[in-house]
Amino acid sequence: MWSYNKILQYPIKIKNPDPRLAKFIISQYGGPDGELGASLRYLSQRFGMPDQKSKAILNDVGTEELRTP
Amino acid sequence: MVGSIVHQLTKGITAEEAEKAGLGAYYTDHGLDVYPQSAGGFPFSANAIACKGDPIANLQEDLAAEQKARATYEKLIDLCKDNPDVVDPLRFLREREIVHFQRFGEALRGVQDKLAEKRMFAMGNCNWNNNNNNNCQC
Amino acid sequence: MECNNNTCSCNCTCKENSKCPTREEMMNDVRGFNFAIVELGLYLDTHPDDTRALALHKEYCKCYKEAVERYQKKYGPLSIFYPCNKWRWLEQPWPWEGGNF
């Protein structure tokens, strides 16, 4: 269940825009090794795990990764 | 968080500034929305969501994924080193990948133990009850 | 990170004074305790029998609840599960706009 908290895990306050850097950083949003892919991968894999610990880790790391895209 | 970084880095820029930064094509298709794509411009692909239906293969994939994400953050930190407002959250995100790697490693060891347990149970299936002979050969 | 800094007795109606923690300080408390809980949660997933970590988790959950309560009383909801007499969800800037300090 998705539930939004109006806060970031780490504060982001960029004083000077710099689109040159945005061009690279977007990769960690939706690129092959990015946060979106990671969160969806863990949340999809959790269904097939054989023990409680691995189910919990995939669920909880997937949830944390979902905070980061 | 990454979306917030991208949003703030592009906030209020003009079309000319976007083009100068190499974002001309991006600006054409997405304006200043944050669109899930790679640095090379490939849109987000479900290929990133590797699910093999095998706990060991999946967890090994996840361990590698965390290392690849860490390596990507290190490259980004290098590219952004002149802008501390950007480097700071990138460093935080890099450290999270290391913690996740550690936890996945522990989960993998647990899964391996669990699967080994199962295999021993399967061996015990051979007439345990009818056969009091401890030297079962099967 | 201090858990018991709620010596401030101010609420929505009182005047600011120098002893009141700022919005930034309150936000940092919320964020810090939230982080500690997430981190301990992951650790406890693979070390459920670690009693020291479990005790820390309990402590930080208490601190987090208090910090959230303190913030919300003054600055409005951090989630929509906090009722107010008017819709205060729109009052503070969104995190991605740099409103989180």
Side-chain angles (χ1 to χ4, degrees), chain C residues 32-48:
Chain C
F33 294 130
N34 183 302
F35 175 77
I37 293 166
V38 167
E39 175 70 337
L40 280 164
L42 293 184
Y43 175 80
L44 282 162
D45 279 348
T46 52
H47 305 79

Side-chain angles (χ1 to χ4, degrees), chain C residues 1-5 29-30 32-34 37 56-70:
Chain C
M1 219 157 21
E2 270 279 319
C3 178
N4 288 324
N5 63 358
D29 274 357
V30 172
F33 294 130
N34 183 302
I37 293 166
L56 272 175
H57 179 261
K58 193 174 178 183
E59 187 188 328
Y60 284 133
C61 283
K62 186 171 162 281
C63 294
Y64 176 70
K65 210 176 152 199
E66 286 168 5
V68 168
E69 192 63 29
R70 237 181 352 258

Side-chain angles (χ1 to χ4, degrees), chain A residues 14 18 35 41-42 45 64 69, chain B residues 1 48 50 62 66 73 96:
Chain A
I14 295 165
D18 187 346
E35 303 286 352
R41 182 171 55 245
Y42 305 148
Q45 288 178 353
E64 189 184 341
Chain B
M1 278 182 67
D62 301 342
E66 293 294 332
Y73 279 122
R96 297 313 294 153

Side-chain angles (χ1 to χ4, degrees), chain B residues 119-133:
Chain B
R119 218 163 288 136
M120 281 172 70
F121 180 72
M123 280 169 68
N125 260 349
C126 53
N127 300 330
W128 253 161
N129 297 328
N130 313 341
N131 188 353
N132 283 334
N133 178 2

Side-chain angles (χ1 to χ4, degrees), chain A residues 1-14 52-62 64 67, chain C residues 27 30-31 34-35 38 41-42 45-46 48 64 77-79 81 89-96 98 100-101:
Chain A
M1 186 175 77
W2 162 274
S3 157
Y4 188 72
N5 281 313
K6 204 169 170 178
I7 185 168
L8 287 174
Q9 206 185 4
Y10 193 91
I12 293 170
K13 211 158 192 178
I14 295 165
Q52 276 300 89
K53 286 184 187 177
S54 55
K55 283 176 205 168
I57 273 295
L58 284 170
N59 185 70
D60 296 352
V61 174
E64 189 184 341
R67 300 164 141 200
Chain C
M27 186 66 101
V30 172
R31 191 179 3 250
N34 183 302
F35 175 77
V38 167
L42 293 184
D45 279 348
T46 52
Y64 176 70
L78 281 169
S79 79
F81 298 94
W89 187 236
L90 311 178
E91 281 177 15
Q92 299 299 336
W94 293 93
W96 59 85
N100 263 178
F101 304 99

Side-chain angles (χ1 to χ4, degrees), chain C residues 5-26 29 70 74-75:
Chain C
N5 63 358
N6 58 351
T7 45
C8 172
S9 57
C10 65
N11 55 40
C12 302
T13 52
C14 83
K15 264 186 154 178
E16 290 283 336
N17 72 53
S18 56
K19 274 187 197 154
C20 292
T22 62
R23 179 165 165 258
E24 181 173 3
E25 285 163 350
M26 286 191 191
D29 274 357
R70 237 181 352 258
K74 186 154 185 196
Y75 293 107

